[in-house]
Amino acid sequence: MTTGPSAAPASTYRLQVNARFTLHDAAATLAYLHDLGVDWVYLSPLLKAEPGSDHGYDVVDHAEVDPDRGGAAGLAAVSAEARRLGMGVLVDIVPNHMGIATPRENAWWWDLLLHGPSSAHADAFDVDWEAGAGRVRIPVVGDGDAAAIEVDRSAGVVRYHEHELPLAPGTTTLAEQHYELVSWRLADTALNYRRFFAVNTLAAVRVEDRRVLEESHAEIRRWFDAGLVDGLRVDHPDGLRDPAAYLDDLGELTGGAYVLVEKILEPGETLPASWATAGTTGYDVLGLVDRVLTDPAGCAPLTALETRLRGGPLDWHDLVHDTKRAVADGILGSEIRRVVRELRGTDGLDPPLDEEGALVDAVAELAACFPVYRSYLPQGREHLDHALAEARRRRPDLVRPLQAGWQLLVEPDLAVAERFEQTTGAVMAKGVEDCAFYRTSRLTSLTEVGGDPSEWSIEPAPFHEAMALRQRTWPRAMTTTSTHDTKRGEDVRARIAVLAELPAVWSAALDTLLALAPLPDPSFGNLLWQAVVGAWPASRERLHAYAEKAMREAGDRTTWTAPDKGYERAVHAAVDAAFDVPAVSAVLDEVVSQVAAPGWSNALAAKLIALTVPGVPDVYQGSELWEQSLVDPDNRRPVDFDVRRGVLARVAAGERPPLTPHAGDPGHAKLVLTQVALTLSRNQPHRFATYAGVEARGEAAGHVVAFDRGGALTVATRLPVGLAARGWGETVLPLPDGVWADLLTGREHAGDARLSELLADYPVALLIREETP
């Protein structure tokens, strides 16, 4: 009989559960994951979602596990198999919002549409009924298409193309309904229900209401009462009215289970220590791992290249302000106006402002100047002070409304202050992650969720300081390198990072590519061709999908709602040229021939570091082999677990792969590394109880990152191109006392270990100190 799971995982493995890969499929995969060394399985959202939903973040019914995903029987199967193997189960939950794209599927939303403010579920949704004169506005009507709205009295519904909504009892006309079908264009300015970001089909849920919390979490409570689930990952806590109070409620509901939060921290920001959570989902560590493997010498030449392509220098902070301001004025204008309505309805607005437009302008500017995702008053008051000072600097014409709004928004007990906090995170996410990240291109491996691309690299010493602090403060937080939300898979970023070591090579290649396949925006061309190189070889279909999303998210030349056909045609022609123009393919092949091997080195280094630094490492589905996905939905493609089982079986039989991948090699070395590290951390946790950096000595000391976790010692190559040019020479790594065995090669080392010997086979090593019985 295998022992049960620990209170906190040693590691997790994320599975995307959907109709193609159900909970029953997940259960059948657990034995492989256990053999890989995984401690807990980590499941994407499971509650019933919109029909056909691939991701599960659009829950329509909190009361049941989605039948399309395997239902309650599927979750029971996963849990039973996990228990047999001694594994835990971590589940992603979505407390902030529900899917409303298909109203009939969501009984709560249907009832709200049917009965309006008197609905038994009216309090579940964050609707400003007064602003809509007692009606909720549904922005679905196309331009000049109102005549297509049909009232079907016999069926008791209102239809508009594929949309079907209920007809209120005793009514016969549209004007009598508790909802109003309005132009889709009004979503930016006139909606009166809170959404997830700017997604009209995701309506926010008020879990701050205890009854709503209980009803929306009854099934989740059952999971814990029945012993089916061991921990939770909370999606988008920044959308909640009071994340700290919610986490306290969740702790009570789950009996103090292991809980993580998908909180994006800006550089230098810390998670509130009072929160009832083990920590974040790890984007903060991802950024540090990427940057310790980035060559600082590449900053100047690649910045110069971007400046040349843009026709002038890029000020990242000004760009962020401007994209956030555009979001606050545009797709999130309805949310900004709701803050203003609450401000104007709050006692103490001083001086009183007769002109609503000035206050809208001021609140939008404060949101644009807000330096982090949100505050949690009274914690984070300094961010509001910063926003006020920056807004006054940028907009001296708004001093009076800025001051008037700010003095209420800093009051933690005011409802309007909480609403502003809920809004700034959405402005940041849409303005930066989903816009500004696509407008800068000097080194796109740095434009990743939770990262600041203006922060180029980090040296090993401050990296060690950050990891030692993490060991002291958040030792059970998650670490990650790839997720369903990352803009580029971990090995795409690892390959792109090599360009920082080869800036002249990349500059020349890019000039040739832009000459062979001209683009209206050469700077966007830099971003596009980096993605192609990072993912190459990739299918035409995947690259076209990436190009479309990237240029529309950038939003400066074309958008989702107003595509520029000529611009998009040119971008897609460049993608086609990669396949159809031999000269373009030749340039790509030449660049890839120079970056592939050092890219694999970076990939193995990043993987081992992430698996062994303080925290709970997560392996995103499939990333134990080479992970060359691009942005979603590309990173949610099906995973071939049969291939992975086959590789693992050969490893178990004693096969040890070479470092350099060959044709058809999916990344055997990476799977070996993953299996060795995960198994060690699961079976010998005492070797991971502390953290201390280990500094090399010699002429190539800057090419290694090493640290001792308390009996497990990680050694990883950094800047492999430069290392190849100079070699290790006499550089040594002074090992702590004892004899150390490399789990990848079986060789033993002690004292001053020569790195030329220690890393002769692989660019990484995982050493364990021999222990006396």
Side-chain angles (χ1 to χ4, degrees):
M1 175 69 71
T2 308
T3 59
S6 58
S11 63
T12 61
Y13 189 104
R14 168 78 175 211
L15 291 175
Q16 295 295 117
V17 180
N18 49 46
R20 300 188 312 274
F21 185 88
T22 70
L23 286 162
H24 296 286
D25 297 313
T29 306
L30 291 189
Y32 159 74
L33 297 185
H34 183 265
D35 291 344
L36 188 64
V38 174
D39 196 19
W40 287 22
V41 65
Y42 167 24
L43 304 172
S44 61
L46 301 180
L47 295 176
K48 186 177 180 182
E50 286 279 0
S53 172
D54 188 53
H55 49 74
Y57 289 97
D58 44 5
V59 173
V60 296
D61 187 353
H62 291 112
E64 64 173 326
V65 177
D66 196 336
D68 288 346
R69 287 172 164 75
L75 179 57
V78 168
S79 183
E81 178 68 351
R83 298 295 176 255
R84 183 185 74 82
L85 296 166
M87 299 175 70
V89 179
L90 178 72
V91 179
D92 196 346
I93 62 171
V94 190
N96 178 71
H97 54 268
M98 294 185 77
I100 60 170
T102 316
R104 194 180 287 278
E105 294 289 333
N106 187 328
W108 289 12
W109 186 251
W110 185 267
D111 195 71
L112 177 142
L113 297 177
L114 194 63
H115 299 292
S118 64
S119 164
H121 298 291
D123 290 342
F125 299 100
D126 196 351
V127 179
D128 185 349
W129 294 104
E130 183 178 353
R135 307 167 80 188
V136 61
R137 294 174 181 145
I138 311 296
V140 295
V141 181
D143 296 342
D145 196 37
I149 301 172
E150 172 195 358
V151 177
D152 186 338
R153 297 177 183 84
S154 62
V157 297
V158 173
R159 294 192 181 91
Y160 176 69
H161 298 298
E162 72 275 17
H163 303 281
E164 187 173 277
L165 302 94
L167 197 64
T171 66
T172 58
T173 67
L174 281 174
E176 296 174 282
Q177 304 313 306
H178 297 291
Y179 53 86
E180 181 183 7
L181 299 182
V182 299
S183 168
W184 66 274
R185 297 183 184 277
L186 292 180
D188 290 357
T189 57
L191 282 200
N192 62 331
Y193 64 93
R194 187 167 64 87
R195 305 165 288 174
F196 168 71
F197 295 167
V199 184
N200 300 334
T201 54
L202 294 175
V205 177
R206 297 181 60 253
V207 292
E208 64 269 21
D209 183 303
R210 184 69 194 195
R211 182 178 67 84
V212 175
L213 175 81
E214 291 289 347
E215 291 184 2
S216 62
H217 286 62
E219 172 67 4
I220 295 170
R221 182 190 291 275
R222 184 187 74 82
W223 298 346
F224 286 90
D225 290 346
L228 296 169
V229 168
D230 304 289
L232 299 173
R233 179 259 200 195
V234 177
D235 181 65
H236 190 49
D238 278 352
L240 304 178
R241 192 77 161 185
D242 186 345
Y246 171 77
L247 290 171
D248 288 340
D249 290 339
L250 199 60
E252 176 187 336
L253 183 145
T254 64
Y258 180 78
V259 170
L260 295 166
V261 289
E262 187 217 16
K263 167 63 189 171
I264 311 301
L265 297 169
E266 288 296 288
E269 186 184 8
T270 58
L271 191 68
S274 60
W275 281 14
T277 178
T280 73
T281 51
Y283 289 113
D284 40 334
V285 176
L286 181 156
L288 292 173
V289 172
D290 282 354
R291 281 161 177 76
V292 80
L293 301 176
T294 299
D295 189 353
C299 182
L302 290 181
T303 300
L305 173 61
E306 182 180 47
T307 299
R308 172 166 66 83
L309 296 172
R310 294 178 63 89
L314 171 68
D315 185 308
W316 171 250
H317 299 291
D318 280 347
L319 173 63
V320 165
H321 168 272
D322 293 349
T323 54
K324 289 175 66 178
R325 182 61 208 248
V327 164
D329 290 339
I331 59 175
L332 289 175
S334 290
E335 282 68 21
I336 294 294
R337 284 163 175 78
R338 187 162 181 187
V339 173
V340 169
R341 288 197 298 273
E342 292 196 19
L343 274 174
R344 290 170 65 83
T346 302
D347 292 337
L349 186 63
D350 184 29
L353 297 167
D354 297 328
E355 198 175 326
E356 182 177 345
L359 203 51
V360 169
D361 198 358
V363 171
E365 189 63 27
L366 285 171
C369 293
F370 209 77
V372 296
Y373 277 72
R374 66 166 282 177
S375 58
Y376 311 94
L377 293 174
Q379 185 168 336
R381 160 69 186 265
E382 69 276 12
H383 301 312
L384 281 153
D385 295 344
H386 170 94
L388 175 65
E390 181 66 6
R392 292 179 65 156
R393 182 185 72 83
R394 290 179 179 273
R395 294 294 304 277
D397 58 310
L398 291 176
V399 167
R400 288 182 69 252
L402 283 169
Q403 184 68 34
W406 171 86
Q407 66 186 8
L408 296 181
L409 297 179
V410 296
E411 293 295 331
D413 296 329
L414 292 181
V416 68
E418 293 179 315
R419 184 164 300 283
F420 182 70
E421 289 181 304
Q422 289 177 286
T423 303
T424 57
V427 172
M428 175 72 88
K430 297 305 296 179
V432 181
E433 293 175 36
D434 294 343
C435 185
F437 274 2
Y438 292 96
R439 294 193 192 180
T440 180
S441 63
R442 62 176 183 166
L443 190 66
T444 58
S445 55
L446 303 181
T447 49
E448 195 49 83
V449 179
D452 181 341
S454 69
E455 296 199 353
W456 180 268
S457 62
I458 184 173
E459 292 296 317
F463 176 83
H464 293 318
E465 292 174 7
M467 293 303 104
L469 177 62
R470 182 176 174 83
Q471 175 66 30
R472 294 193 301 272
T473 54
W474 298 102
R476 298 191 304 160
M478 183 174 278
T479 64
T480 191
T481 44
S482 293
T483 76
H484 61 285
D485 277 334
T486 43
K487 304 300 182 185
R488 296 162 189 84
E490 58 197 57
D491 299 334
V492 173
R493 299 197 311 276
R495 184 183 283 183
I496 291 173
V498 178
L499 302 180
E501 293 198 76
L502 297 169
V505 169
W506 177 242
S507 180
L510 181 63
D511 285 346
T512 303
L513 290 168
L514 292 174
L516 292 169
L519 287 164
D521 182 349
S523 182
F524 180 80
N526 192 12
L527 179 144
L528 176 65
W529 286 116
Q530 285 185 42
V532 174
V533 166
W536 196 257
S539 71
R540 190 189 302 256
E541 179 184 22
R542 287 179 59 207
L543 294 180
H544 275 302
Y546 175 78
E548 178 181 83
K549 182 164 186 174
M551 62 181 155
R552 291 183 179 179
E553 294 284 69
D556 49 353
R557 299 297 187 99
T558 187
T559 67
W560 292 105
T561 56
D564 183 318
K565 293 181 180 179
Y567 179 82
E568 294 197 357
R569 201 160 35 242
V571 171
H572 286 299
V575 172
D576 283 330
F579 300 91
D580 300 335
V581 179
V584 171
S585 301
V587 174
L588 292 174
D589 290 342
E590 174 59 28
V591 173
V592 170
S593 72
Q594 296 188 60
V595 301
W600 303 138
S601 176
N602 281 345
L604 294 177
K607 197 65 174 179
L608 181 58
I609 292 170
L611 290 173
T612 55
V613 292
V616 175
D618 176 57
V619 177
Y620 184 68
Q621 62 172 28
S623 67
E624 65 270 34
L625 296 182
W626 301 130
E627 214 299 292
Q628 290 180 271
S629 294
L630 296 167
V631 71
D632 70 279
D634 192 60
N635 54 22
R636 295 199 299 268
R637 288 172 295 148
V639 174
D640 190 335
F641 284 105
D642 287 338
V643 167
R644 287 156 177 79
R645 288 186 186 95
V647 174
L648 191 58
R650 292 196 294 276
V651 170
E655 179 180 313
R656 282 294 181 266
L659 162 65
T660 305
H662 53 79
D665 176 15
H668 293 54
K670 191 180 181 190
L671 186 142
V672 170
L673 178 68
T674 301
Q675 193 262 350
V676 165
L678 291 181
T679 302
L680 181 65
S681 64
R682 182 186 64 192
N683 296 350
Q684 301 185 49
H686 66 280
R687 294 184 182 274
F688 294 85
T690 62
Y691 184 92
V694 180
E695 186 176 349
R697 294 198 308 266
E699 61 269 34
H703 288 281
V704 66
V705 182
F707 50 86
D708 178 13
R709 293 300 318 281
L713 197 152
T714 288
V715 186
T717 298
R718 65 190 294 263
L719 317 185
V721 174
L723 176 64
R726 70 185 305 166
W728 286 114
E730 300 301 314
T731 307
V732 297
L733 188 70
L735 299 176
D737 292 342
V739 177
W740 296 79
D742 185 352
L743 295 180
L744 296 177
T745 65
R747 287 198 293 266
E748 293 185 345
H749 304 271
D752 287 349
R754 292 171 61 95
L755 282 165
S756 59
E757 299 174 1
L758 182 59
L759 301 179
D761 296 323
Y762 299 102
V764 294
L766 180 56
L767 311 177
I768 58 169
R769 180 162 37 206
E770 294 185 357
E771 298 174 333
T772 55

